[in-house]
Amino acid sequence: MAGTSATLAGRVTVPAGDPVLTALANAALGIAGADTTGVLLLDEAGETARMGAWAGDWTVHSANLTVRRGRGLAGRILETRRPWKVDDYACDRSIKAEEFMPVLVEEHTVAGLGAPLLVDDVLVGVVMAWSKRRGAFDVEATRALVNLADLAALAIVRGRAADAVRRDLAEADRRAAELADRTAVHARGEQLRGELVPLLLAGRGLAELLGTVCAHTGGDAVLFDSRLDELGACGAVGPVRDRVVAHVRRSRSESDTTLPPAPGFPRWTLLRSVDADGVRLARLALCLPRVPDAGDRVTATEAVAACAIHLTRERAVLDARSRVHADFVGQLLDGLVDEAVAVVRARQLDCPLPARLRVVAIPVRLAGDDGGLVDEEARRLDQLVDVAERLARGAGAGVLAGRRGATVALVVDSAVGSADGAADEAADAAADDVADDAADDSEAVRALAEHVVRGLRRHAPGAVGRAGVSACVEWSADLRGAYRQAEQALAAEAPGGGPVVLFDDLGLLRFLLAPCDRADQQRFVRTVLGAVLDYDREHHTDLVATLGTYLDEGGSLTRTATSLYVHPKTVRYRLRRVEELAHRDLSGQRDRFDAQLAIAVLRALELDAGDGPA
């Protein structure tokens, strides 16, 4: 027997994990009259036996005894599958016990006896008995140990079979419980789907869809777009958005995740991506008052599917509407539809036709092969058209959007800059009143176009440069002329280096580029001197007359003062006031020329400062 020099307390029984083996070791101790007994069990390979239970004077190594086939007394029994005994280890040469001799001598173990544990010729292990007395085991002891081994082997095999049955039953119970849980989770998902599908078929909104989801989770639900702006919600939006934004900024992760409670936010959050055809449509956040379970995750899956269907359908409707509107705008810009047809189509498309309008042209640098547009670039341009329309409508403008080639085109209602849009729609409005409104809308239209350009630059960095805006024109089904004006404005330098050029900014050049009528001439006068004319009318002053005389006198203060019978300082004061009101610099060649031309138009139309265009 292998052992150690540190022998522990004697004549005690050490309980083993298997009660059958423990009983066998104790029984062997009584039958054989041994000092120490043990039961060694074969491993799966059948080459090594390890101690499974022991009784008597045991040591640390008794509990950890390992015997290889053919080594020592136990190894000989494993090899021969027969009982074997040794009367004196020191004298017996029938076994190979050299490796165990130092321990046997130190523990005073002299004799040994063992029998195989066999069941239907299947070797299970070996039961061993050791004694400190020479020749301790006689024939009767051997017979008793063999009989005990036969009974124990059968008990071991049956015990193992019973253990296997118990394990199988436990595994069956586990699988049954798991199946029951899965069935419950599946039923929960089916129930939610059964409630969401009718809502989708009825075209209900996101609020009702998310409300149904929240009824199943007992928490909140918020749907965010790509910029984490709210698309729909049920429950508190602000705290949920703060939690999601903090996570996205910290992790930069695009994958689905589960967020644990955080300081100031004691709920768990299931964050899921809402995708369709590989395109990110939105993000769904489900906030729960508990740790999410499998049912909650199934609920999140069903909610994501419902949101994806709703958003896809909504996008399809919007895309179809945008394409139809864009085609209509393209026909107007190309002059391919007559007035009556345009009015009917506008009514069918629910597109209000403005009485007066401006055309905004925004070139986009997206060239395909040979300067053409490939499918992907065409789709990107269509997206930019949609973005431009949303930006303009978001700013409060009435607008129709389309494109010509690689240029985004907007037809903008000039009432965007009018203090009272009713003046534009009044059938009996005077021509000079219309001119006044047209002049007043220029800065509002410029601000709107700048807003759209900035938004497009954020959406497509590097693709959008400047915008050109036509003059304010009367509604017509043929907008080719207005579109040409927007393109001509693009060729000019923007005031102050800004991103938008109005056709109105071209000054005299606008009269050379496009034919004009009395209304165009009045608008030009208003653009240059409108504020000065208003000031003269309201304060009964002569600023416009002073300016006209000053220009007639070649810019001489002295001659102007003489002609007007006033002091030169008075002339200087009036001219400074003109510059402040008109935002012009009369020392600059262009501003001075525009002022001179405006005075000339005033005189040609027989208008003066008192009853000029108001």
Side-chain angles (χ1 to χ4, degrees), residues 439-498:
D440 289 343
D441 88 324
S442 60
E443 291 310 312
V445 171
R446 188 192 308 278
L448 173 68
E450 290 178 351
H451 170 69
V452 172
V453 168
R454 287 193 299 269
L456 291 178
R457 286 176 177 176
R458 289 192 300 270
H459 192 82
V464 177
R466 305 166 65 202
V469 184
S470 74
C472 184
V473 299
E474 301 285 346
W475 155 254
S476 170
D478 185 353
L479 297 179
R480 286 177 294 178
Y483 185 76
R484 279 197 301 270
Q485 289 181 357
E487 290 184 314
Q488 290 162 351
L490 280 170
E493 180 179 355

Side-chain angles (χ1 to χ4, degrees), residues 371-413:
L373 293 175
V374 297
D375 291 342
E376 180 61 27
E377 290 170 341
R379 283 193 292 270
R380 290 181 63 191
L381 280 167
D382 290 338
Q383 291 176 357
L384 291 180
V385 170
D386 292 340
V387 172
E389 183 174 16
R390 288 199 300 270
L391 288 167
R393 291 189 183 279
V399 62
L400 299 176
R403 67 177 175 88
R404 292 189 68 187
T407 298
V408 175
L410 303 177
V411 177
V412 181
D413 190 340

Side-chain angles (χ1 to χ4, degrees), residues 66-120:
T66 300
V67 177
R68 291 176 296 159
R69 189 183 287 269
R71 309 301 298 178
L73 178 58
R76 182 63 180 270
I77 297 171
L78 292 174
E79 185 177 49
T80 61
R81 302 164 70 93
R82 293 172 50 198
W84 206 276
K85 75 182 179 73
V86 173
D87 292 329
D88 189 341
Y89 277 102
C91 300
D92 197 320
R93 297 291 180 265
S94 65
I95 61 172
K96 300 175 182 178
E98 296 84 357
E99 59 191 276
F100 303 112
M101 288 306 295
V103 177
L104 292 171
V105 171
E106 186 172 350
E107 295 185 354
H108 308 292
T109 299
V110 177
L113 173 64
L117 297 170
L118 284 168
V119 178
D120 296 332

Side-chain angles (χ1 to χ4, degrees), residues 312-373:
T312 300
R313 181 177 61 192
E314 190 177 69
R315 172 174 286 194
V317 172
L318 292 176
D319 287 347
R321 173 184 175 277
S322 297
R323 282 193 296 272
V324 173
H325 283 207
D327 290 343
F328 180 49
V329 172
Q331 292 176 351
L332 295 177
L333 298 178
D334 290 331
L336 299 179
V337 59
D338 61 31
E339 295 287 343
V341 173
V343 172
V344 173
R345 289 202 59 190
R347 187 180 301 112
Q348 292 172 340
L349 298 176
D350 193 24
C351 296
L353 298 178
R356 299 186 64 79
L357 58 89
R358 290 179 184 262
V359 173
V360 180
I362 308 173
V364 179
R365 291 185 288 272
L366 291 174
D369 296 336
D370 301 325
L373 293 175

